[in-house]
Amino acid sequence: MASDRRDQAVRAAVEHALLSESEPVVALLDTAGVRASAAALRAAFAAVTGAPVLHAFAVKASPLVPVLRLLYEEGLGVEVASPGELALARAAGVPPHLTVLDSPAKTTAELREALALGIAVNVDNPQELARLDTLLPAAATGPAAPPPPLGLRVNAQVGGGTIDAMSTATDTSKFGVGLRDAGAREWIVRAFLDRPWLTRLHTHSGSQGVPLDRMAAGVRAVYELAEEINAAAGRRQVDTIDIGGGLPVNFASDEEVPTYGAYARLLAAEVPGLFDGRYGLVTEFGRSLLAKHGTVLARVEYTKTSGARPIAVTHAGVQVATRTVYAPASWPLRIAAYDAGGRPKDGPAVEQDVAGPACFAGDLLAVARPLPRLAPGDVVAALDTGAYYFAHHYAYNSLPRPGAYGYAVRPDGTVRFTTVRPPQPLAEIVAESGGDRRDALVRE
Ligand SMILES: *Cc1c(COP(=O)(O)O)cnc(C)c1O
């Protein structure tokens, strides 16, 4: 079981001194768990369609080259949304035909590069489409073959979820062309009829906090739009629909729900025409592939009480759990307690705060959380942190990026670690912070 593997890895991380006095915070990734999620995703869609499906992992969820490589080996491509993410994908060896470029703010240079490389692009808005109009003739006259697949992002405006900042399908969302806005539908159909090279529709309506039926409603709206465009064109101009990602993750227990299978079956029931073989599919899942497989470990440095509240001061806070610290109600994390030897800690539960090392009062991983009473040298684990946590370092207080390690548990119970990202040396922090420009502001 994943939770047994995790306990074994915590113990081994302490025994192998990955976690130590000098490295008091580390991130662990369960390689077998990631592989299993990738396989589950592929199987879920293969069970409902015979059409080609590109599962493009949303790089922003875990922008680490070895993670991208692992998922590529598992048959996934990538969804990128910045030059940095594209560079990571290329470093991982993911080929252009398995790469999709989204982003609401693509520069001309980015568009040109994508066209030259043969990377699929989803256009966000009318101005970007006009820009593409000017770039395409040049791309098409080169020795290169026809342009890569090009699509338009649509906001089905089916409504948001429980977390405002994560809701992409509200009426006023910044993403895509709002399908229900006055005149928008007609404009989109015309835009396709005028551009035979526009062959895809894209939507990403889901995210953490969005119910599955609302996500399915977004996909359905975009499918119906594709049908309308194809009827108007008198041919199958739209040949692929990119349904985005956004499968929510259960942060309350080890149970992996909702499953990809449940979502794929719901889509097949709600939008059967999308699965009858006429349309290719692209998906862009991120969080749901990685979240459950990551764990941040931190040593407890001190314990104290303040206003009668026990507080454990640890080394993991806002630098590795930014969303949880700044928006605790939306992003609660489970915390597991281990003793100094990395064994699960027991004892009566006492409500205590689990604090981070940063110098502001809100730097708390958990408030009044019932846990066995923590002591200095103990280890706390922030669970379900494989996506949008340790790989999204926030450099408050110049805290270094912790090392990140993949783990695999051998049949004999021993644990093998591989370094995904080494701990950041202090010299690098100094260098990134203008260390070689000491006098930049004092010399005329
Ligand atoms: C963030 C994002 C995703 C991935 O979302 P998850 O919630 O991590 O699955 C996919 N597509 C686009 C366009 C995104 O912005």
Side-chain angles (χ1 to χ4, degrees):
M1 267 200 2
S3 57
D4 296 334
R5 287 201 299 271
R6 184 173 64 223
D7 284 347
Q8 284 165 302
V10 174
R11 178 96 186 255
V14 171
E15 285 171 356
H16 297 205
L18 290 184
L19 186 73
S20 66
E21 191 134 6
S22 56
E23 299 293 342
V25 51
V26 300
L28 304 180
L29 206 49
D30 176 3
T31 313
V34 177
R35 283 192 196 275
S37 286
L41 170 60
R42 294 182 62 194
F45 280 81
V48 294
T49 182
V53 186
L54 167 62
H55 295 292
F57 171 66
V59 170
K60 84 169 180 277
S62 181
L64 294 166
V65 172
V67 168
L68 306 183
R69 185 69 191 184
L70 171 65
L71 291 172
Y72 172 58
E73 235 192 71
E74 287 295 323
L76 274 58
V78 289
E79 183 265 351
V80 299
S82 71
E85 289 181 358
L86 176 56
L88 297 181
R90 297 184 75 190
V94 181
H97 74 277
L98 299 182
T99 302
V100 179
L101 174 64
D102 298 333
S103 143
K106 302 174 204 80
T107 63
T108 300
E110 278 181 87
L111 289 169
R112 226 182 240 129
E113 183 184 22
L115 292 175
L117 289 172
I119 288 169
V121 176
N122 288 315
V123 169
D124 181 83
N125 60 67
Q127 290 179 358
E128 187 185 339
L129 191 59
R131 201 177 269 189
L132 210 49
D133 284 339
T134 67
L135 296 177
L136 265 182
T141 53
L150 300 170
L152 179 70
R153 179 164 182 172
V154 167
N155 171 10
Q157 292 168 316
V158 289
T162 57
I163 308 176
D164 285 347
M166 295 291 121
S167 296
T168 54
T170 59
D171 280 350
T172 55
S173 158
K174 73 172 181 179
F175 297 111
V177 177
L179 188 51
R180 294 180 182 178
D181 287 359
R185 206 174 174 94
E186 298 68 26
W187 180 86
I188 294 170
V189 174
R190 188 76 254 158
F192 274 79
L193 296 182
D194 289 346
R195 294 171 183 79
W197 41 265
L198 212 45
T199 57
R200 291 186 171 188
L201 282 170
H202 171 221
T203 191
H204 170 65
S205 313
S207 192
Q208 192 64 24
V210 178
L212 293 195
D213 55 352
R214 192 159 301 163
M215 293 169 61
V219 173
R220 186 181 176 89
V222 171
Y223 163 76
E224 285 167 354
L225 177 62
E227 293 280 279
E228 185 178 331
I229 292 168
N230 288 349
R235 64 194 184 90
R236 289 197 29 240
Q237 178 172 343
V238 177
D239 59 16
T240 299
I241 297 186
D242 181 336
I243 65 169
L247 193 73
V249 163
N250 170 27
F251 284 94
S253 75
D254 277 319
E255 207 189 344
E256 291 188 41
V257 285
T259 62
Y260 290 119
Y263 183 45
R265 286 189 296 274
L266 175 71
L267 285 176
E270 294 290 317
V271 203
L274 185 54
F275 297 89
D276 63 12
R278 291 175 300 140
Y279 291 97
L281 283 173
V282 178
T283 75
E284 304 174 343
F285 294 101
R287 180 177 289 108
S288 52
L289 281 159
L290 262 297
K292 303 299 282 181
H293 312 306
T295 305
V296 171
L297 300 185
R299 277 165 63 100
V300 175
E301 193 67 46
Y302 298 109
T303 56
K304 60 204 274 190
T305 61
S306 197
R309 171 79 56 80
I311 302 168
V313 179
T314 81
H315 287 277
V318 74
Q319 86 276 35
V320 287
T322 314
R323 277 187 173 147
T324 295
V325 167
Y326 285 127
S330 296
W331 300 102
L333 281 177
R334 291 186 295 150
I335 304 291
Y338 297 86
D339 66 18
R343 288 167 295 258
K345 193 170 169 100
D346 44 33
V350 177
E351 284 193 357
Q352 51 203 303
D353 288 2
V354 181
C359 298
F360 67 102
D363 187 33
L364 302 167
L365 288 184
V367 173
R369 185 69 58 87
L371 289 170
R373 184 141 193 168
L374 292 161
D378 282 351
V379 175
V380 294
L383 310 184
D384 309 323
T385 46
Y388 303 103
Y389 279 94
F390 62 81
H392 295 66
H393 186 76
Y394 177 60
Y396 203 94
N397 275 139
S398 301
L399 290 164
R401 282 187 290 272
Y405 305 89
Y407 65 86
V409 180
R410 300 189 186 94
D412 67 0
T414 58
V415 178
R416 194 174 89 93
F417 290 106
T418 51
T419 303
V420 171
R421 179 187 71 189
Q424 185 179 31
L426 293 185
E428 194 175 305
I429 295 181
V430 175
E432 283 180 355
S433 307
D436 62 352
R437 295 177 166 76
R438 189 184 61 183
D439 296 330
L441 298 176
V442 294
R443 288 229 179 93
E444 289 304 310

